[in-house]
Amino acid sequence: MSALSRKMRADIRRRLLPDEQDVVATEPNRRRTDLRLAPATLLVWASTVAGPWLTPGILLVVWGSLAACAGVLLAMLLRRKKAEGRWRRSFLTTLTAALMLAAASTAHSAVSSSQRHDEQVAGLITAGASAVAETEITGAPRALKTPGPSGRAERWAVAAVVRTLTSGGQVMHAHLPVVIIGGQEWQHAGTGQVLRVTGKLRPPDPGGVEAAILTSSSPPVQLAAAQDWQQAPAALGKRFASAAAWLAPDARGLLPGMVTGDTGGLSEELETAMKTVGLTHLTAVSGANCSLILGALLLAARSLRLARIPAAAVALTGLALFVLMVGPDASVLRASLMGAIALASLAGGRAGRGLSFLCLAVIALLLLAPELGVSFGFLLSVLATLGIIVLGRCIMGWFPPSVPRWAAAAVAVPLSAQVLCGPVIVVLQPQFATYSLLANVLVAPLVAPVTILGTAAVALLPLVPWLAAVLIGVAGFFAGGVAAIARSTAGLPGAAPPWPQGVFGLLTMLLFSAVTLLTVWTAAHPARTVKMVFAAHAGTARLLDLLPEAAFPRGGPGDPGRLSDRGRLRVCNLNSGRNHQWPLPSNDRRRRQPIRRPGGT
């Protein structure tokens, strides 16, 4: 039995963590970082961010300028011969594609802006008019922590799209994204439902993608039910939460959040503790969940002797089913697409080009869902992935060969993600998570069992309930461990000290991140650090020797700051009127003359 377990561990290590010899062998063939898609990504992102702030007329001018520049570059590219400068042709092709993608994104933003700036609808929103709206729910309800102006203690917010709007006897057909805020009757709203809502309109916050905020004044009236495939994720999530009701309180609230993203049963104390130590990303369907699901499916497929491409197809099919299970909203699509592109890079044998695949994921997501461009969650997800791609491998390479690769990865992955996400997090929440790295390293071995076993339990719950209950019990045990780590680290002294706000806080966190990376590098390379210190000291000494002697005047005999001719350093006491020069102790063994005290005889 022990030999079999050792063989299984060796096989898993060989498949997921390649040997050092394989890495060294493929190092000369690794391609350099490809930055050609970076300009396109930045232009598309900038156009989506500018959409909610600019008027349709300005966006139309921007679109025309981008399209004209793209046309000119395309004409130049077609006139050039293929034999002319390969680098120049590649640069022009990349820039042309970037401008064309940015023009497409700007056109989408202009259409959305024109719908928001319609004269009749804009007038109703500005005036805060009462209206009856026929809406289609497009997102899951989320609980609001603060009470509203009406004094409601429990409020819920739901994303929706307005189809028709009736106010003052006028019926207007529109396609307006709104956020509906109402009481506890809105917590059961499901994606795809068509509801009639009565309430008051008000303008959204500046820079928001929604056209208005609709505050409901009465319970919703259902006009059409959601389709079966839209209702299935919510039903599975509720059934899973009910099946986990027998667990301990922390595990009962945390397990559905880590598996399906349902944080409705999470206690406020545990949620605060996880936020304090930087573990809130575990309670949402993120790229980490998709990576774990993909890795488990890929390992199972490869263990069945499937080739690389069929194994990737099986893993992608499982990922699609996982997305349908938890609900295909924008955040889940973002996580799944990033995980799928990472899998495609591994299946294609080009794992070193992760930045290019990340850029492709960002461009595709922004074109499909432009509202992600102004989402801080999307920004943090991209920064975390970028940190893992760019810095993670470098930090792992800093560790000596004696450190196992899994241990180096357990430290490098959260550290690289935290270094890039830290400046954005302090803007949103001006406090420093002192034990964030420690907490993420401690919970890393527990996250994989919770995600994999919990996901399997959700799928088996309608088919084999008793087996699903066993998996829920095991996953709940590990989820309870995550909760215990979050509570214990949040209770340590100095867990959340305040941090400066605004731009100054952003800049100071950038400096702190750079200092953190430098500290980790020096700790991993003590010998090289000592050599660099001695080299810097020797260079400074040589520089001082090269300076002219005139830069250090010796001074006259009466100058208190002169250098002694006999090589003895004297300290000047400028506060006393007598005995300005008091000699320091000397190594001269000859008998020294006693110094007469002031005023003595």
Side-chain angles (χ1 to χ4, degrees), residues 56 108-126 129 131-139 158-167 170-180 193 195 197 200-204 208-214 371:
H108 191 285
S109 300
V111 173
S112 301
S113 180
S114 64
Q115 294 174 349
R116 291 195 305 269
H117 288 81
D118 181 78
E119 293 185 0
Q120 291 183 337
V121 176
L124 293 176
I125 296 173
T126 305
V132 178
E134 181 181 321
T135 61
E136 179 181 356
I137 305 301
T138 58
V158 187
V161 173
V162 174
R163 292 181 175 180
T164 60
L165 193 65
T166 304
S167 180
Q170 297 182 351
V171 179
M172 292 163 283
H173 297 276
H175 185 82
L176 297 176
V178 298
V179 173
I180 302 174
Q193 287 183 324
L195 305 175
V197 188
K200 293 193 67 175
L201 297 168
R202 63 181 177 89
V209 294
E210 61 273 2
I213 305 294
L214 179 58
E371 64 271 10

Side-chain angles (χ1 to χ4, degrees), residues 192-241:
Q193 287 183 324
V194 180
L195 305 175
R196 181 186 293 120
V197 188
T198 303
K200 293 193 67 175
L201 297 168
R202 63 181 177 89
D205 296 331
V209 294
E210 61 273 2
I213 305 294
L214 179 58
T215 304
S216 175
S217 57
S218 62
V221 178
Q222 180 172 325
L223 302 179
Q227 300 181 9
D228 293 338
W229 66 271
Q230 293 175 320
Q231 294 178 349
L236 281 175
K238 292 179 181 178
R239 189 169 183 178
F240 180 73

Side-chain angles (χ1 to χ4, degrees), residues 566-569 583-592:
R566 292 181 293 176
R568 296 183 60 187
L569 178 64
L584 292 177
S586 174
N587 294 327
D588 191 0
R589 296 183 178 179
R590 294 177 299 179
R591 184 176 180 181
R592 293 169 49 188

Side-chain angles (χ1 to χ4, degrees), residues 195-508:
L195 305 175
R196 181 186 293 120
V197 188
T198 303
K200 293 193 67 175
L201 297 168
R202 63 181 177 89
D205 296 331
V209 294
E210 61 273 2
I213 305 294
L214 179 58
T215 304
S216 175
S217 57
S218 62
V221 178
Q222 180 172 325
L223 302 179
Q227 300 181 9
D228 293 338
W229 66 271
Q230 293 175 320
Q231 294 178 349
L236 281 175
K238 292 179 181 178
R239 189 169 183 178
F240 180 73
S242 301
W246 59 274
L247 298 174
D250 284 347
R252 179 174 63 242
L254 186 58
L255 182 60
M258 295 184 66
V259 176
T260 62
D262 181 14
T263 58
L266 195 64
S267 64
E268 187 175 355
E269 295 81 6
L270 181 56
E271 185 177 3
T272 303
M274 298 188 70
K275 184 181 296 185
T276 301
V277 295
L279 294 178
T280 52
H281 60 91
L282 298 179
T283 58
V285 179
S286 61
N289 299 74
C290 296
S291 299
L292 289 171
I293 298 298
L294 285 170
L297 293 174
L298 184 60
L299 179 62
R302 295 289 284 173
S303 300
L304 297 176
R305 304 297 181 184
L306 291 180
R308 181 181 295 174
I309 301 301
V314 171
L316 289 175
T317 303
L319 176 64
L321 295 176
F322 175 75
V323 170
L324 291 177
M325 182 183 68
V326 300
D329 57 1
S331 61
V332 177
L333 290 176
R334 172 197 71 201
S336 62
L337 184 56
M338 288 190 177
I341 288 180
L343 176 66
S345 66
L346 294 175
R350 295 183 178 182
R353 300 184 64 182
L355 183 59
S356 299
F357 291 102
L358 175 62
C359 292
L360 284 175
V362 172
I363 292 173
L365 287 169
L366 290 177
L367 292 177
L368 292 174
E371 64 271 10
L372 292 176
V374 294
S375 170
F376 279 102
F378 179 69
L379 176 61
L380 290 173
S381 177
V382 172
L383 289 177
T385 308
L386 180 64
I388 295 172
I389 291 174
V390 177
L391 299 177
R393 190 178 296 272
C394 296
I395 297 176
M396 288 181 62
W398 293 350
F399 287 88
S402 58
V403 178
R405 289 181 58 81
W406 61 266
V411 176
V413 170
L415 177 61
S416 58
Q418 187 176 358
V419 163
L420 291 189
C421 293
V424 180
I425 293 177
V426 296
V427 173
L428 300 175
Q429 185 179 358
Q431 67 180 27
F432 178 67
T434 308
Y435 306 106
S436 176
L437 179 61
L438 175 63
N440 279 275
V441 171
L442 292 177
V443 303
L446 307 178
V447 174
V450 173
T451 303
I452 296 175
L453 297 179
T455 304
V458 174
L460 293 175
L461 199 57
L463 304 176
V464 191
W466 65 269
L467 182 57
V470 174
L471 296 179
I472 288 174
V474 179
F477 172 76
F478 290 105
V482 173
I485 292 174
R487 289 184 180 275
S488 59
T489 51
L492 295 175
W499 195 267
Q501 300 182 6
V503 179
F504 181 72
L506 174 67
L507 296 178
T508 52

